[in-house]
Amino acid sequence: PLSHNLEMKHLPGADPELVLLSHRYEELERIPLSDMTREEINQLVQELGFYRKETPDAPVPEEFQFAPARPLPTLPPPQAPAADGKTPLKHDEGEHPEL
């Protein structure tokens, strides 16, 4: 396990899967690994943005310190409350507010 921010846990009897967590350790996605080869898993991890260290004690470049797998979502600037004291909700079409 030379990848930065990647931890392998063996759970007896469980199908292997890659669980992606947010910076707050909230589950983002589960990717089943049962039907994948080692090479396919290595490629997936690389595509997701995990940094592979040369040696276990090698430093991690600054741009990978908070990686991966996806960039942190950009939050919209706070809106001023409306006259009734409630903050208006505004969502663009096709936007998923729960994400």
Side-chain angles (χ1 to χ4, degrees), residues 6 10 14-15 21 24 28 34-35 52 68 77 81-82 85 91:
L6 181 65
H10 177 72
D15 288 334
L21 304 174
R24 293 184 181 145
L28 298 173
S34 297
D35 297 330
R52 185 171 175 88
H91 299 292

Side-chain angles (χ1 to χ4, degrees), residues 82-97:
D84 63 1
K86 296 181 181 178
T87 302
L89 295 177
K90 181 181 176 183
H91 299 292
D92 294 334
E93 190 173 317
E95 186 179 327
H96 299 282

